[in-house]
Amino acid sequence: NQGMLVEPPLALPLNELRELYPQDSPVTGPPQKWVMLYTYPGTCDEQCSYDVSGLRQIHIATGRDQSSVAIWLLSPANPDQDTRNELVRIYPEFRILHDTDGTAASVLSALSSEPADGPEFRESGQAFLLDPSANIILRYVPGQIPGDINRDLDRLLKWSGKD
C-alpha cells in the first residue's frame, strides 16, 4: 500500500453528515461504492484545488470502474456557495459533504498525527479510502501524490472483483 493502513478499519460515522451537492440531504447509509474521501477546511485554497483536481484525474483514470468509485469532499464547516461552485466546476461528480456536529472530524482526527481540539480537521488535505460499507481502510497524508492513491485504488478494485 502507498497509504497508511488503518488497522482495524474504522467506520466513518455517516449519521451526522449532510450532502450539500448534488442535493441537500442527510447521508442515510453506506455508499455501496469505494470512496475517495478528502478533507478540507470549508474554503478551497490553491493546494485544495490541486488536490481535488488530482482526485478528479484518479476518478477519470478508473475508466469502466467509475461507477464503482465515488469522491466525497468533506468539510467541518458549511462551505459557502462560491466554494461549492468552484469544486463543482473542477468536477461535477464530487459529492460535497458537511460534518454537521464534528463527529466525523473526531474520528478522522484520531487517525492523524495531531488530534483536533474541536470539530475541525487538524490536518486538512488528508485523503482516505473507504470500502463500500464506509469503513476507513487507508489514510494519505496531506500532499500525497495522486498516483499513489490511484495504485491503491486499482489494487482494491481488482481484489474486490470490480476490475
Side-chain angles (χ1 to χ4, degrees):
N1 297 326
Q2 303 299 315
M4 291 166 257
L5 187 63
V6 176
E7 185 78 340
L10 205 60
L12 181 70
L14 301 175
N15 55 335
E16 294 301 323
L17 297 182
R18 183 153 196 89
E19 185 171 357
L20 304 173
Y21 181 87
Q23 70 261 356
D24 187 6
S25 64
V27 175
T28 56
Q32 307 302 315
K33 298 179 178 197
W34 291 94
V35 174
M36 291 182 288
L37 175 71
Y38 177 79
T39 60
Y40 70 105
T43 58
C44 197
D45 60 13
E46 188 175 326
Q47 183 63 48
C48 171
S49 293
Y50 175 80
D51 291 344
V52 297
S53 294
L55 293 175
R56 174 196 63 210
Q57 293 306 107
I58 293 169
H59 194 246
I60 291 169
T62 60
R64 68 176 189 250
D65 291 323
Q66 279 183 5
S67 63
S68 300
V69 178
I71 306 171
W72 291 3
L73 307 179
L74 179 62
S75 173
N78 190 349
D80 62 34
Q81 192 61 46
D82 289 341
T83 299
R84 283 187 243 171
N85 291 342
E86 176 62 16
L87 292 171
V88 171
R89 184 195 63 74
I90 291 171
Y91 196 48
E93 296 298 316
F94 289 146
R95 288 182 68 186
I96 301 170
L97 306 172
H98 172 221
D99 183 13
T100 59
D101 74 348
T103 304
S106 295
V107 169
L108 296 174
S109 291
L111 298 174
S112 71
S113 57
E114 299 178 40
D117 298 326
E120 59 189 36
F121 303 120
R122 176 60 71 193
E123 293 182 79
S124 290
Q126 290 189 94
F128 301 87
L129 280 179
L130 283 64
D131 69 14
S133 297
N135 294 307
I136 305 163
I137 58 171
L138 289 169
R139 177 178 79 89
Y140 301 89
V141 296
Q144 184 84 26
I145 299 168
D148 291 344
I149 300 170
N150 190 36
R151 278 190 285 284
D152 286 345
L153 182 60
D154 282 346
R155 198 171 297 128
L156 288 169
L157 289 167
K158 284 180 184 165
W159 289 342
S160 68
K162 298 290 183 194
D163 187 36

